Amino acid sequence: MPGPRSRVRSDFALRLLLKKIIDYGLSDHIRNLVEDAQRHMGYRSPYRGGRTLTDLLRQAHTAARAEGDQDAAERLEDALSYATNVMLAPDLEIKYQLLGGARGRHANDLTTFLSHATTFVADKARAFLDDHPLATRDELMAYLDEMQRLVVKDLAGAAGVFQLSPGMNEYAVWMTEVLLDRLHASDSSLSFTPAAEASAEEVADVVLLRARRRALQELYAVVLNRHSSERDLQRALEKNLWIFGGTQLANRLGPRRISHGIELDLTLLRPDGTVHVIELKRAAVPLLTHQRGRWVPTNEVHRAVAQAMNYLVVLDEDRPRLAEQGIDVRRASAEVIIGHPQFEEEASENEVDAALRVYNSHLSRVEVVTYKQVVNRAEQVLRLAD
């Protein structure tokens, strides 16, 4: 089963970016892969996208990382993020100056938009005079001094970040409230509940749900990258602690060096303070091998489980000292996340799940799951939240 899906974006901005990436300079191999993506898109609108485009961009990104070309890898990652609707169009245009004066143009657009708030200031002034018909000029000016003219300027050294004029904090909060809770969008695909019917909590839930979908897409892209290291996977999962949440785990990270002599990949604390250890291994490793006509876990899986067991033993032995720090390891458990069915040469996903189910039934405080199972679990949580 594929990972999280969304419409693939293929437009003129992406074509301009791919051309810029080539112009910056690439090896012949990476250049050929990028040109394959260009040919797939075509040279006239409407441009072709779909799974083929993201696969081609992902191959080029993987090749750049394999060659150690970090600049090209970053640019291709941005292209993939834009195509999968993770990176916003204004941010892409500003970062790569795809159109002339992109930074100034977007700043002006934002200024124009925010300047409509001056209507609010005028209404405030009229209301003040209605309530205080004998107010002097100085009194009115003193009142208006609290409402400075909206000014938006580019923040030096931070592409796509803008700064309001001093004294605008209160109005920035007001504008945020308007954007989140009072602004109606005609695009039905945004799926926001009408502001008249939605509470602030409901709007916040929608925003959080969208953020988690984007984060899950990013995590899945890292998982499916054959060259992703354990550290890459760790960073991606640290941004998605909610995956381990629900009713069982709090979104809280404990210390990695929880006990002398060991450094854990992720230390999660349950709501009652007990520890849940996450041991991460690479996704592109073999999970199953044949033994007497049956699928059984490989040595990579056994070693990962043994490592997790050793961590639990160390925590048990260090229990008195950890208890003084408010960390309860009496019921500590561990989860090993390793492999993905896509990287299995022979075994199917069902065979992987079945073999690990049998294997886990003989373990006590350790469970082995694949990255596919972790993502599927997260997808189910998001579906239930809809």
Side-chain angles (χ1 to χ4, degrees):
M1 296 292 291
R5 292 180 178 176
S6 64
R7 182 182 63 84
V8 174
R9 178 162 49 180
S10 178
D11 57 17
F12 185 63
L14 183 58
R15 276 206 60 83
L16 288 178
L17 176 59
L18 294 183
K19 182 179 183 303
K20 277 214 165 189
I21 291 174
I22 292 175
D23 291 342
Y24 284 132
L26 299 170
S27 70
D28 290 341
H29 176 53
I30 302 174
R31 181 189 181 98
N32 289 336
L33 292 173
V34 175
E35 288 177 344
D36 286 343
Q38 288 180 311
R39 279 190 289 271
H40 170 76
M41 289 181 64
Y43 301 94
R44 292 184 180 178
S45 179
Y47 299 102
R48 291 190 297 275
R51 176 73 175 272
T52 300
L53 176 60
T54 57
D55 286 347
L56 290 170
L57 293 175
R58 192 171 286 114
Q59 289 173 20
H61 174 256
T62 299
R65 290 192 57 179
E67 293 184 11
D69 189 342
Q70 299 302 322
D71 291 337
E74 179 183 349
R75 293 161 187 154
L76 287 164
E77 183 175 356
D78 286 344
L80 184 59
S81 297
Y82 178 73
T84 54
N85 298 282
V86 174
M87 189 173 192
L88 299 176
D91 289 332
L92 189 79
E93 293 174 8
I94 290 170
K95 182 173 182 178
Y96 293 100
Q97 289 292 288
L98 297 182
L99 301 172
R103 294 184 70 158
R105 181 165 47 82
H106 284 293
N108 290 337
D109 290 344
L110 190 57
T111 298
T112 300
F113 174 75
L114 291 176
S115 293
H116 288 294
T118 55
T119 302
F120 169 75
V121 178
D123 289 341
K124 281 284 191 178
R126 281 191 289 269
F128 177 82
L129 292 175
D130 287 342
D131 293 337
H132 306 86
L134 300 180
T136 66
R137 177 183 179 278
D138 289 341
E139 289 172 333
L140 176 59
M141 291 304 300
Y143 179 74
L144 293 179
D145 278 343
E146 301 299 324
M147 303 177 186
Q148 300 180 33
R149 185 173 63 89
L150 288 172
V151 176
V152 177
K153 63 180 180 179
D154 216 31
L155 188 61
V161 179
F162 302 95
Q163 185 178 35
L164 285 169
S165 58
M168 286 305 303
N169 290 343
E170 182 176 353
Y171 293 103
V173 172
W174 175 76
M175 287 298 298
T176 300
E177 181 181 338
V178 170
L179 291 171
L180 289 179
D181 200 26
R182 306 181 204 169
L183 186 64
H184 294 258
S186 59
D187 184 357
S188 60
S189 66
L190 292 177
S191 301
F192 276 106
T193 306
E197 302 175 7
S199 66
E201 290 80 7
E202 289 171 328
V203 173
D205 287 342
V206 171
V207 173
L208 178 61
L209 192 61
R210 288 174 173 274
R212 287 183 170 178
R213 284 202 181 100
R214 287 195 298 270
L216 189 58
Q217 283 183 318
E218 294 173 358
L219 169 62
Y220 207 70
V222 176
V223 168
L224 293 181
N225 187 336
R226 183 180 292 275
H227 301 285
S228 291
S229 64
E230 292 176 15
R231 180 58 182 150
D232 293 332
L233 292 160
Q234 179 182 329
R235 283 194 292 262
L237 282 168
E238 284 175 347
K239 299 176 183 178
N240 288 276
L241 293 184
W242 60 273
I243 288 176
F244 305 105
T247 59
Q248 295 182 347
L249 295 172
N251 287 344
R252 297 165 55 203
L253 266 178
R256 293 183 60 198
R257 294 181 177 86
I258 194 172
S259 191
H260 180 70
I262 61 173
E263 183 172 334
L264 307 176
D265 290 335
L266 291 175
T267 310
L268 297 180
L269 301 179
R270 296 179 186 273
D272 61 359
T274 57
V275 170
H276 185 69
V277 174
I278 304 292
E279 176 61 23
L280 302 176
K281 296 301 179 184
R282 293 181 60 240
V285 297
L287 290 171
L288 301 183
T289 184
H290 274 293
Q291 187 177 68
R292 297 183 179 180
R294 290 184 178 275
W295 289 111
V296 296
T298 60
N299 288 334
E300 284 85 351
V301 176
H302 291 309
R303 282 195 294 268
V305 170
Q307 187 175 356
M309 288 179 175
N310 181 59
Y311 290 157
L312 294 178
V313 170
V314 173
L315 294 179
D316 287 340
E317 294 172 346
D318 206 14
R319 188 177 69 187
R321 184 186 65 82
L322 293 173
E324 294 176 358
Q325 302 177 21
I327 300 175
D328 188 354
V329 296
R330 289 175 298 171
R331 299 180 301 280
S333 57
E335 183 174 346
V336 175
I337 307 178
I338 183 172
H340 189 288
Q342 174 174 299
F343 301 115
E344 292 297 303
E345 294 183 358
E346 299 182 37
S348 67
E349 181 176 346
N350 288 338
E351 289 171 327
V352 170
D353 292 343
L356 291 183
R357 188 162 51 246
V358 172
Y359 185 64
N360 284 323
S361 69
H362 293 82
L363 300 177
S364 176
R365 298 164 64 186
V366 181
E367 181 183 16
V368 180
V369 298
T370 68
Y371 285 95
K372 179 63 183 298
Q373 290 170 332
V374 170
V375 171
N376 285 351
R377 186 168 62 194
E379 287 183 300
Q380 181 64 22
V381 169
L382 295 181
R383 280 195 293 270
L384 292 174
D386 268 338

